[in-house]
Amino acid sequence: AQTVTQSQPEMSVQEAETVTLSCTYDTSENNYYLFWYKQPPSRQMILVIRQEAYKQQNATENRFSVNFQKAAKSFSLKISDSQLGDTAMYFCAFMKRGGATNKLIFGTGTLLAVQP
Amino acid sequence: DTAVSQTPKYLVTQMGNDKSIKCEQNLGHDTMYWYKQDSKKFLKIMFSYNNKELIINETVPNRFSPKSPDKAHLNLHINSLELGDSAVYFCASSLDVSSYNEQFFGPGTRLTVL
């Protein structure tokens, strides 16, 4: 069974600075996807970024980038130039590729507070 | 237009009651999901339907019964509500399960059992 671990329950960063959120996972699968979702106070789940395990290049979406270390089973999220609107709960998630269900397995989340 | 909508957004009820949460998507997707987010914010899949067929049924008490009358709707019925059922329930949908397709989430339904 796959598990996803986020070891930082809470983090804080000053506006305009950079912060990195950690995620590790455990799986025996070779083909899978990894995701970071954002859940602001509005409760809406928003996909931030996606990484395909077979791609060596780290995914980037504007101010959001990941550091994917497949051998170490590590998948961290870097947020550059943090903005007040980045304040949210961030969830790391895993999905087996080629499965018949597209089942998402989530970590326990990291609450990020961006301070003015 | 809301892509994935849920009703109601808030539901407060007494222990022992039966309640339903409705979900509708207007994206033309084949696959729909129910997730539960507990008081510690942990999100876990409960059920998934693809083309009205149940494809995921996690270890969930049989008091929970999903119903998919058509591809655009996936409702969640809960019998004999218990205090531990208090949570936020999210519906989601994706194009299908043939390959990776992004899951789009509804706004969630906060259920409080007193």
Side-chain angles (χ1 to χ4, degrees), chain A residues 69-103:
Chain A
Q69 302 288 329
K70 191 172 184 181
K73 294 181 182 170
S74 168
F75 183 60
S76 60
L77 175 70
K78 185 170 88 170
I79 306 174
S80 304
D81 185 25
S82 297
Q83 300 175 0
L84 295 177
D86 295 334
T87 292
M89 195 79 171
Y90 286 82
F91 293 95
C92 180
F94 172 99
M95 180 191 292
K96 176 183 168 183
R97 183 169 181 244
T101 62
N102 281 4
K103 175 179 164 181

Side-chain angles (χ1 to χ4, degrees), chain A residues 18-95:
Chain A
T18 296
V19 64
T20 298
L21 308 185
S22 302
C23 173
T24 58
Y25 57 96
D26 189 26
T27 184
S28 57
E29 302 289 337
N30 194 42
N31 292 318
Y32 49 87
Y33 301 97
L34 294 164
F35 309 86
W36 280 98
Y37 279 86
K38 169 184 177 181
Q39 186 179 38
S42 66
R43 210 167 67 196
Q44 183 68 49
M45 291 291 290
I46 302 163
L47 178 63
V48 175
I49 200 164
R50 172 174 65 107
Q51 175 78 41
E52 293 156 21
Y54 63 88
K55 289 188 176 176
Q56 292 188 340
Q57 187 172 5
N58 288 324
T60 299
E61 287 287 340
N62 301 314
R63 297 183 295 108
F64 299 87
S65 61
V66 298
N67 183 3
F68 173 48
Q69 302 288 329
K70 191 172 184 181
K73 294 181 182 170
S74 168
F75 183 60
S76 60
L77 175 70
K78 185 170 88 170
I79 306 174
S80 304
D81 185 25
S82 297
Q83 300 175 0
L84 295 177
D86 295 334
T87 292
M89 195 79 171
Y90 286 82
F91 293 95
C92 180
F94 172 99
M95 180 191 292

